[in-house]
Amino acid sequence: MEDRKKKYGQMGAARFWFVIWGMGLAGQICWNIENQWFNTFVYAKISGDVNIVTSMVMVSALVTTVSTFFFGTVSDRSGKRKRFISAGYIIWGITTILFGMTEYARDSGIGALVALSGFLVVLTDAVMSFFGSMGNDCGFNAWVNDYTDNTNSGQVGAALAVLPVLGTVLGTVVGGSLVNIGNPTVGTEHYDPSQDNYQLLFWAMGIFVIAMGLLSIVLMKDASTLKPNRQGTFSRQFLSVFQFRKLKENPNIKELLLACLVVCFFFIPFNFYFVHMGNWLIYDIGFTTGDMGLVEGVSLLLASLMTIPFAKMVNGQKIPLVVLIAVLTNALGLFLTFFCIKSPEDVNAAALFSAKNLPVFLCVFLIGTGYVLIMQTGMIWVRGLFPEESRGQLEGLRVTFFTLIPMLIGTSVGNVIIKNTPQTDIKYDAYNHVIDVPQENLFLIAGILVLITLIPLYFAAKEYGKRVG
């Protein structure tokens, strides 16, 4: 009991876990909106051109990484996390609402605004990512790391793994329901995604994130162990993370970089298909937006339950084994998707929970299980190797391998695959432009390439064994 009081300080365990789940869920719902609904929004309201989605994802990845490095360094030097979290979340929610308003530029009929609508989408998403990273990536995540030690790492790791899934479940299920409200074509033979109600979604989720940002002002406390860490000038400290000689001072640097490579190799093929999965289910397979949300939400909810037994393995120093299981499970789901779900004839879009749709739920469950386990183990593995005095700054290093490199490479390759895959059924958006419909070959190529993760995993596991052995 004394150790817990010392660890949680003035917050106490109950408030700590409330903040973990509340702030974590708000952040993950907002990221889910960006990763899932921004892409379907672009296809429905702006243009069916996959180049806009790719540009949006790549610019967002760059901005997120820069923001994480910058504000991570600032928070380390100031010895403060809370102020960045609160401000970041509030602005994050506001910019989510502003993003949705870009559809009015496309509908305005004003030539200049119509021409700029694609640019406005990329710009507002970049601003959202900048402040979202300030509040969540280098703020909230570093704050959680300040409160994590060997006594709670498994539980915190399980929470951090479940939160993205719960965010996806709530974001997709609730989001799909909100989007379908007011669409007169839902339930008809000629469902039209362009009539979905995205304004309701973005306003609801934006207000929720703003509310959590305001609550954090009252509820959160910085860890008592967090102290200002100034290493010369700001620019010198900011650039130190890019200096390999400086990184070499970390005795676990080899294992840290190998663990980052493991996660990076997994998420590169992940970004082939993940940002396009919603549009694949809608435009290629034939589900409504709401049913697409249920397919992903139900499957990932079941996948999140897999973190419970694996939390014990993480605490039992078997992280490489969990990663191995994650990679193989993910690859299996990708291969089954390619071979079993090729067209609307392979599903029953009219009755979502019919037996014919079981393969869809199974495939998304297997893909999601691999994703959840990687998130659970990768976060704990990498963050456990950060030196205490540079946790905020090194979140930038984590984001580089977890987000930036995979998104830049993965979405670029996914774009090329989609653009060069013949369309079996030509579809048009609301403005009579041909839609770049994602095809099932994305899953086959991703399934093959994700197995390459086993190479860096072999070497990372050897370093892990040396350290914990």
Side-chain angles (χ1 to χ4, degrees), residues 17 21 149-161 311 315 380:
W17 285 109
W21 287 100
D149 59 19
N150 291 333
T151 65
N152 62 5
S153 62
Q155 291 80 359
V156 171
L160 293 178
N315 284 344
I380 289 298

Side-chain angles (χ1 to χ4, degrees), residues 260-278:
C260 284
L261 282 176
V262 168
V263 180
C264 184
F265 274 56
F266 178 90
F267 277 115
I268 287 174
F270 177 83
N271 279 283
F272 285 12
Y273 62 88
F274 181 72
V275 297
H276 304 294
M277 184 172 281

